[in-house]
Amino acid sequence: MPGITREEVAHLARLARLELKAEELDHFAGQLDDILGAVARVSEVADQDVPPTSHPLPLTNVMRKDEVRPSLTPEQALSGAPAQEQQRFKVPQILGED
Amino acid sequence: MTTTTELVAYEEALATYDPVMGLEVHVELGTRTKMFCGCSTELGAEPNSQTCPTCLGLPGALPVVNEIGIESAIKIGLALNCEIAEWCRFARKNYFYPDMPKNFQTSQYDEPIAFNGYLDVQLEDGEIFRVQIERAHMEEDTGKSLHVGGATGRIHGASHSLLDYNRAGIPLIEIVTKPIEGAGERAPEVAKAYVAELRELIKALDVSEARMDKGQMRCDVNLSLRPYGREMFGTRSETKNVNSLRSVERAARFEIQRHAAVLNSGGTILQETRHFHEEDGSTTSGRIKDNAEDYRYFPEPDLVPVAPARAWVEELRGGLPELPRLRRNRLREDWGVTEDVMQTILNAGAVDPIVATIAEGADAASARKWWMGELARNANETGRALDELPVTPAQVARIAALVAAGDLNDKLAKQVIEGVLAGEGTPDEIVEKRGLKVVSDDGALGAAVDEAIAGNAAIADKIRGGKVAAVGALVGAVMKTTRGQADAARVKELILERLGVEG
Amino acid sequence: MTDHISIIKLTAAEIASKIASGELTAVEVTEAHLARIDAIDEKVHAFLHVDREGALAQARAVDAKKANGEKLGPLAGVPLALKDIFTTKGIPTTVGSKILEGWIPPYDATVTKRLKAADVVILGKTNMDEFAMGSSTENSAYGPTGNPWDLTKIPGGSGGGSSAALASYEAPLAIGTDTGGSIRQPAAVTGTVGVKPTYGGVSRYGMVAFSSSLDQGGPCARTVLDAALLHEVIAGHDPLDSTSIDAPVPPVVEAARNGSVEGMRVGVVKQFRGEGYQAGVLQRFDESVELLKELGATIVELDCPSFDLGLSAYYLIAPSECSSNLARFDAMRYGLRVGDDGTKSAEDVTALTREAGFGDEVKRRIILGTYALSSGYYDAYYGSAQKVRTLITQDFEKAFEQVDVIVSPTTPTTAFPIGERADDPMAMYLADLCTIPTNLAGNSAMSLPCGLAPEDGMPVGLQIIAPAMKDDRLYKVGAAVEAAYNARWGHPLLEEAPSL
Ligand SMILES: [Mg+2]
Ligand SMILES: [Zn+2]
């Protein structure tokens, strides 16, 4: 299994929306490489014919009736907002798609 | 928005290139509550008044699946001739966007609830084209952003945005076709016919109103060109959120012409999203889809798998309505109208009102006549859909019955309709209030007839002399004095009787 | 009137019965604990927020019910320390992170609701590793918590605030959450009792998610019976949590009142010892196995080979899920917002806020998880880890065909000094070696004190593991072990802790 490079860490940080500083990149790259080196052992079972477990319990079909439940009031919904305007969450300009 | 894109003439483009399309349609379900929480989905509420910890993505909140969401997905899958998964899961599609509260969309990935189906669509000349369906899966909608400070609410140049999460979490079904090949020059027509048929199907299933103008149904048109004979697909563009049937057709057509121009000049098509512009039918570049885009899908750990019992699936299959295309053909035959007329009825959204009116006792011809005539005109003038007019099929059937019984003539019936639309009451109440009943009582008509004969002696003489066709003028005079309320047939009989002429 | 010190030394069961009998009022009990917090929490730092007014109001309500002759629940009026990972309407909830500093949730977690409905008095919110990521509580953005046995040592983590509150008599009950051992490991290193119920046994609604498929809330206490009483209050089906088990809660209180191992088969897993285990920990563990034999249990040696892959699988699954769960902290709807000077985009503000608001361990795990889930690595990492999970579950299933419960040391070592492993993530991760397999498989486990390690005089925990939905077995065995040890020592182990 290949190790993790500083460039990869930078790319992952962008994907995860973390504005890492240069020294953090160095620091994390080393640590993550160690951790990955240790946990990469799991790929020993990659070829084994066992089903993956995504849920620890064998539950299926948990559903609710299509019945309206009380919502929060707009005041409650917006109570934690860093900024608000016109009863909406005010956020900096959004880049990207229309 | 103006565009300077060079285009190749449509026929010329098709002479060189074979278009391949993929259509992705998102349908907002008409459930009472959101997909994963109990918030109401009712449109038009105050901003952020239909949100809760779950659909706001507050720390700690968890989703629970709406059973009608699942049921609707299965119904759609069955109607599209799909296989229904014995077992499937939700997945998280991870990417950051401010209108998405959790910064992942709860969706389905490699285990859709319905897959491998098809939908037969009928083209304008009656030909049936089979569109293969890849999958139909469940997901959730995002919130709505309002861009402030820029021109006309656009994102570019905006100083900030305002977010309303009322729509976040409303259930969506995404229906994805397999690549549509072999449509040739009819590709845009196929696209439109497919979306139209799908819309009718969704409405027939009663899982959504599927109003494209309200964003309840949105179509992404993926299109690529390849030289004829080549197997490999060309690079595709994705025109997002096309919001009317006509636009679907125009977007496909435009992209064929644009791609051909790029390819002819030796250029390469960028894999990108594009925006469609209603004003001129053009598309413009959106976001480049770089390969770094990685949604890091994984099974949603907060939801357990969905394993629809076969008995349930069969029960839903048993309850499926007649397919719209078959129903349309049946109705066309029942009503004795041509394909063209049927298409007009369909375009006007009059099929269901007419069916309902017939069910209320009207004959097909008159039901059709009123919905496609007076009512369609009113709907058009007031910018409403037929089913939004304040008149019920039962009321239309009553009006038709009054006409059939001779109690109303067409002119009076129009006035009754006008009254109903104005909220004056039921047809009978309006007849009563406005005094619109046809007068066929001889006593009441006699004076008017005598007056007409007296006032038009020359014409009366002509009739006596055998020119029976001239009677129309006298009938018209009687109708005028009775303000249209006379029974025209009886008036004619009375005039001829008085003038001693055989009718 | 009983004095403060004798009140705070009471067990929850004793407090409840004294309130029910009128010997104590809930207000007296609450005031005694608030006074204790005032006196020592500056040193211990178990609490991030003390809700004095709310606690007293709840206590007064209990006293009023009592005065009205209303029937009181089994824990009515008993104070409790709530881990700051559960939302509390109107009370700050930070999850130990700067990114949620000052956030006041508009809703109560199901656990919070059930505690309130049972008239339990919530004293406040306890310190924890940021987003429950850690084994020492040093990763809290609000500073570390001290171990009441030795304030220079860690109280375990992530729920170190809850375990320290119990061990320092600031509260007789606490709530923790256990993703890889965050209830049991703190219990072990502070000489208290902690239970990770079966996954799905306690609602996760309103419990800020770290790793959804592993997280489980559970009771923390100083005695096995108290833990059982609390377990019964918080457990049971919740329609707001799709992964909640819709079945009756196992009879934990009855089991705790009838401790016995007579005739039981107890498994000892080969893989739970070896390199990295402190000698004194193994010594106390071996004595516990002897004790179980004396009490009438049969010991069965077990081989669970896939347990060796548990830690690796855990450090792929938990970071993967957390990278997605923590994406919502984006500075848009709640919490911290950094860098919004009117020129930056939402995207930049999100990245700057997350950089400023998350600590190192959280960032490390988010990056690790982002990596493990990325398309090129999914099969090798996340996919394989999920297969390991299946193998571990199968090992447990085979084991439980032969035994009723499994025992092991809860942690390989006793509490280590604050700062010792702070920048050595791999060393820190080893603290959860014995607790992780249970989280991966979803079954239940308890840690309870089994003595002090001779080399450092710090508490050692005995872990008992039971099959899913057989949580009552933990209490049956735990109560028997606890009674035998208390008889041997002449007092509960915690009596040996230095007074603060
Ligand atoms: Mg989608
Ligand atoms: Zn909601």
Side-chain angles (χ1 to χ4, degrees):
Chain A
M1 199 61 56
I4 190 166
T5 63
R6 189 180 189 277
E7 287 62 44
E8 268 178 298
V9 173
H11 167 70
L12 294 166
R14 267 194 303 278
L15 266 181
R17 291 279 199 282
L18 289 168
E19 184 77 43
L20 292 188
K21 298 182 195 76
E23 63 268 27
E24 279 182 302
L25 280 177
D26 296 327
H27 191 57
F28 286 151
Q31 288 179 331
L32 289 166
D33 199 53
D34 287 349
I35 298 170
L36 273 172
V39 302
R41 285 192 62 193
V42 297
S43 55
E44 285 171 19
V45 305
D47 298 335
Q48 283 195 38
D49 188 22
V50 284
T53 296
S54 59
H55 298 81
L57 292 174
L59 286 174
T60 53
N61 296 332
V62 175
M63 301 177 203
R64 41 169 260 278
K65 297 243 175 286
D66 184 23
E67 285 164 5
V68 176
R69 289 171 47 90
S71 293
L72 294 173
T73 62
E75 239 161 54
Q76 287 174 317
L78 288 153
S79 62
Q84 53 175 298
E85 195 177 298
Q86 297 175 33
Q87 206 172 298
R88 293 172 173 89
F89 294 84
K90 183 180 175 185
V91 306
Q93 51 176 312
I94 300 172
L95 295 182
E97 285 209 77
D98 225 338
Chain B
M1 169 145 312
T2 56
T3 50
T4 52
T5 318
E6 292 289 332
L7 297 182
V8 164
Y10 188 68
E11 289 70 24
E12 193 190 325
L14 266 301
T16 323
Y17 301 107
D18 176 18
V20 178
M21 280 189 308
L23 300 169
E24 290 173 26
V25 174
H26 285 87
V27 179
E28 254 187 24
L29 294 179
T31 50
R32 277 194 285 271
T33 66
K34 295 185 179 182
M35 190 65 193
F36 303 113
C37 66
C39 288
S40 169
T41 55
E42 194 114 349
L43 293 173
E46 266 185 70
N48 293 301
S49 62
Q50 288 169 179
T51 65
C52 71
T54 298
C55 58
L56 276 180
L58 294 191
L62 295 172
V64 186
V65 168
N66 182 338
E67 84 181 341
I68 301 300
I70 304 272
E71 185 183 278
S72 304
I74 296 174
K75 282 184 184 171
I76 290 173
L78 289 171
L80 291 171
N81 304 291
C82 286
E83 294 172 48
I84 304 301
E86 303 252 357
W87 188 91
C88 65
R89 282 179 296 192
F90 284 95
R92 292 185 182 180
K93 181 181 183 181
N94 294 287
Y95 65 100
F96 283 84
Y97 209 77
D99 63 10
M100 196 167 59
K102 296 166 289 180
N103 287 313
F104 60 78
Q105 184 191 33
T106 308
S107 178
Q108 291 196 288
Y109 178 45
D110 49 357
E111 295 160 346
I113 189 154
F115 51 95
N116 271 346
Y118 63 86
L119 180 64
D120 285 335
V121 304
Q122 195 159 9
L123 303 183
E124 273 164 33
D125 65 357
E127 189 193 322
I128 303 288
F129 192 98
R130 177 162 290 188
V131 176
Q132 302 288 343
I133 305 292
E134 170 86 34
R135 58 191 280 151
H137 73 246
M138 302 174 279
E139 55 181 43
E140 57 178 335
D141 215 338
T142 58
K144 248 188 170 158
S145 26
L146 201 71
H147 305 299
V148 183
T152 66
R154 299 193 74 83
I155 196 162
H156 298 292
S159 63
H160 62 277
S161 297
L162 300 177
L163 294 166
D164 168 13
Y165 292 102
N166 281 351
R167 205 181 65 182
I170 290 187
L172 291 178
I173 305 294
E174 178 175 339
I175 300 153
V176 183
T177 66
K178 290 182 181 167
I180 301 169
E181 301 176 64
E185 59 174 7
R186 306 189 72 170
E189 190 194 339
V190 168
K192 180 187 173 188
Y194 166 73
V195 178
E197 184 67 22
L198 192 56
R199 192 185 64 178
E200 291 306 309
L201 185 69
I202 301 289
K203 287 199 301 196
L205 291 169
D206 202 20
V207 294
S208 168
E209 286 178 46
R211 293 279 300 262
M212 293 186 84
D213 56 332
K214 288 187 179 168
Q216 292 165 334
M217 185 165 164
R218 329 191 259 272
C219 179
D220 298 346
V221 179
N222 297 336
L223 188 128
S224 66
L225 297 184
R226 61 181 172 190
Y228 283 101
R230 202 179 75 175
E231 213 167 292
M232 219 174 74
F233 297 155
T235 305
R236 70 171 190 275
S237 60
E238 300 178 19
T239 306
K240 300 297 234 188
N241 291 330
V242 187
N243 284 336
S244 75
L245 293 179
R246 181 161 166 266
S247 300
V248 168
E249 185 169 27
R250 290 169 87 204
R253 198 178 167 92
F254 183 90
E255 281 299 284
I256 289 173
Q257 293 176 270
R258 186 184 68 85
H259 279 225
V262 173
L263 295 172
N264 281 354
S265 65
T268 48
I269 298 294
L270 296 174
Q271 186 170 339
E272 62 181 356
T273 63
R274 298 190 64 89
H275 304 305
F276 180 74
H277 305 284
E278 296 282 348
E279 318 86 79
D280 60 0
S282 70
T283 70
T284 53
S285 185
R287 177 171 47 100
I288 301 290
K289 284 222 161 180
D290 55 353
N291 291 324
E293 192 157 38
D294 184 345
Y295 293 122
R296 287 160 283 130
Y297 283 101
F298 71 104
E300 165 58 281
D302 287 329
L303 292 171
V304 302
V306 177
R310 294 300 99 177
W312 186 33
V313 173
E314 289 318 308
E315 188 190 318
L316 293 175
R317 194 195 303 277
L320 287 183
E322 186 182 14
L323 286 176
R325 183 176 56 82
L326 300 179
R327 173 169 178 260
R328 245 172 7 242
N329 287 343
R330 176 176 60 76
L331 293 175
R332 191 178 58 73
E333 281 175 24
D334 285 356
W335 299 348
V337 297
T338 63
E339 287 278 4
D340 279 356
V341 170
M342 196 63 198
Q343 194 59 46
T344 319
I345 292 174
L346 191 69
N347 293 345
V351 175
D352 289 331
I354 292 172
V355 169
T357 304
I358 294 170
E360 294 288 347
D363 66 279
S366 44
R368 188 157 58 79
K369 175 169 123 188
W370 294 117
W371 283 106
M372 290 303 292
E374 200 57 15
L375 291 165
R377 195 180 50 72
N378 185 281
N380 209 16
E381 280 170 12
T382 58
R384 289 181 286 193
L386 278 181
D387 59 7
E388 287 173 338
L389 295 179
V391 57
T392 64
Q395 288 169 336
V396 177
R398 176 63 188 152
I399 292 166
L402 289 169
V403 173
D407 291 334
L408 287 178
N409 56 29
D410 283 6
K411 194 167 169 206
L412 291 173
K414 281 182 192 171
Q415 293 182 46
V416 174
I417 287 175
E418 192 187 292
V420 173
L421 292 176
E424 289 172 21
T426 65
D428 289 296
E429 283 163 10
I430 291 159
V431 167
E432 183 65 34
K433 270 191 247 168
R434 291 197 179 188
L436 294 177
K437 223 169 165 81
V438 164
V439 181
S440 53
D441 166 48
D442 291 359
L445 290 176
V449 167
D450 291 342
E451 193 186 319
I453 292 171
N456 297 280
I459 297 172
D461 283 344
K462 275 190 195 163
I463 298 168
R464 285 196 193 91
K467 280 201 84 174
V468 175
V471 74
L474 291 186
V475 173
V478 173
M479 294 310 279
K480 203 170 172 190
T481 54
T482 58
R483 298 196 324 283
Q485 271 172 260
D487 178 344
R490 185 65 197 140
V491 170
K492 186 179 168 189
E493 278 171 21
L494 283 175
I495 294 170
L496 295 179
E497 224 177 86
R498 306 251 159 139
L499 299 177
V501 180
E502 284 292 305
Chain C
M1 162 125 187
T2 320
D3 68 277
H4 283 174
I5 291 300
S6 52
I7 290 177
I8 63 173
K9 293 272 172 116
L10 296 173
T11 67
E14 288 164 350
I15 290 172
S17 84
K18 285 181 193 293
I19 290 174
S21 71
E23 202 178 318
L24 283 174
T25 66
V27 169
E28 272 178 288
V29 170
T30 301
E31 280 173 344
H33 286 90
L34 289 172
R36 176 67 171 174
I37 293 168
D38 287 343
I40 64 156
D41 203 52
E42 216 170 311
K43 286 186 277 183
V44 180
H45 194 223
F47 284 89
L48 292 177
H49 181 89
V50 177
D51 182 22
R52 192 172 301 276
E53 292 314 311
L56 286 168
Q58 179 83 311
R60 281 192 292 268
V62 173
D63 290 337
K65 271 192 182 179
K66 163 80 182 145
N68 286 340
E70 286 176 51
K71 195 175 173 318
L72 297 179
L75 288 178
V78 180
L80 173 140
L82 183 59
K83 191 177 182 180
D84 202 24
I85 196 170
F86 290 92
T87 59
T88 39
K89 191 171 176 174
I91 305 293
T93 300
T94 68
V95 203
S97 181
K98 279 277 179 250
I99 212 157
L100 273 185
E101 188 164 17
W103 183 57
I104 298 180
Y107 80 109
D108 271 335
T110 297
V111 163
T112 307
K113 262 194 196 147
R114 290 191 178 175
L115 291 169
K116 287 180 178 175
D119 289 320
V120 172
V121 173
I122 299 172
L123 295 171
K125 309 293 287 288
T126 57
N127 200 11
M128 56 184 288
D129 284 301
E130 184 178 8
F131 284 100
M133 298 178 198
S135 307
S136 66
T137 312
E138 293 164 285
N139 295 333
S140 167
Y142 303 97
T145 297
N147 187 321
W149 288 79
D150 176 347
L151 292 171
T152 69
K153 292 187 170 169
I154 59 110
S158 62
S162 286
S163 64
L166 294 172
S168 62
Y169 299 98
E170 290 177 325
L173 294 176
I175 297 283
T177 63
D178 191 313
T179 304
S182 290
I183 287 175
R184 290 162 289 163
Q185 184 256 6
V189 301
T190 57
T192 57
V193 178
V195 174
K196 185 205 93 74
T198 299
Y199 182 85
V202 173
S203 170
R204 291 186 298 114
Y205 188 78
M207 186 177 120
V208 180
F210 159 20
S211 178
S212 309
S213 75
L214 301 166
D215 296 342
Q216 189 56 211
C220 308
R222 289 192 292 261
T223 72
V224 170
L225 176 61
D226 284 0
L229 291 166
L230 183 54
H231 191 135
E232 210 162 65
V233 163
I234 59 172
H237 182 241
D238 178 13
L240 297 178
D241 175 359
S242 304
T243 61
S244 165
I245 297 169
D246 191 2
V249 178
V252 292
V253 172
E254 191 194 316
R257 291 193 196 280
N258 298 286
S260 160
V261 295
E262 185 73 51
M264 280 179 110
R265 297 161 306 161
V266 174
V268 174
V269 176
K270 198 166 94 175
Q271 280 74 15
F272 284 142
R273 74 192 289 136
E275 214 190 312
Y277 284 78
Q278 192 178 321
V281 167
L282 290 178
Q283 188 188 330
R284 294 297 172 230
F285 172 68
D286 293 340
E287 285 167 14
S288 299
V289 174
E290 284 310 308
L291 176 71
L292 287 161
K293 274 194 228 169
E294 285 168 28
L295 295 174
T298 313
I299 305 300
V300 181
E301 292 278 336
L302 297 167
D303 185 16
C304 297
S306 61
F307 283 15
D308 286 342
L309 289 172
L311 193 71
S312 297
Y314 176 83
Y315 278 100
L316 289 166
I317 293 169
S320 295
E321 292 184 1
C322 98
S323 72
S324 175
N325 281 329
L326 270 57
R328 67 188 60 196
F329 299 97
D330 63 359
M332 299 294 117
R333 291 162 299 282
Y334 43 80
L336 189 67
R337 179 180 286 182
V338 168
D340 184 14
D341 58 6
T343 68
K344 293 189 181 66
S345 67
E347 192 173 17
D348 287 344
V349 167
T350 297
L352 287 167
T353 301
R354 288 164 66 82
E355 166 63 13
F358 289 144
D360 279 2
E361 183 61 19
V362 172
K363 289 180 202 167
R364 262 193 299 269
R365 295 203 197 185
I366 288 174
I367 295 171
L368 184 59
T370 304
Y371 181 76
L373 288 176
S374 53
S375 54
Y377 299 104
Y378 183 94
D379 289 338
Y381 289 129
Y382 190 74
S384 296
Q386 301 282 47
K387 285 186 175 182
V388 168
R389 205 165 177 176
T390 308
L391 294 172
I392 287 175
T393 306
Q394 288 170 352
D395 276 356
F396 268 124
E397 278 166 6
K398 271 179 254 164
F400 286 122
E401 282 167 15
Q402 303 170 60
V403 299
D404 301 300
V405 294
I406 293 168
V407 293
S408 78
T410 308
T411 61
T413 70
T414 55
F416 45 86
I418 290 174
E420 190 185 76
R421 302 184 188 178
D423 209 36
D424 185 355
M426 278 315 292
M428 185 72 85
Y429 296 172
L430 290 173
D432 294 332
L433 203 55
C434 311
T435 44
I436 277 172
T438 305
N439 297 87
L440 290 170
N443 51 339
S444 56
M446 167 188 281
S447 178
L448 77 164
C450 65
L452 302 177
E455 53 278 58
D456 56 15
M458 293 298 284
V460 175
L462 172 69
Q463 177 173 231
I464 306 165
I465 306 174
M469 287 312 277
K470 302 288 182 205
D471 307 35
D472 50 316
R473 287 188 199 166
L474 305 172
Y475 290 95
K476 196 164 183 67
V477 175
V481 170
E482 178 184 62
Y485 271 131
N486 285 352
R488 184 179 289 182
W489 300 325
H491 54 75
L493 188 68
L494 208 49
E495 298 270 301
E496 292 179 37
S499 64
L500 287 167

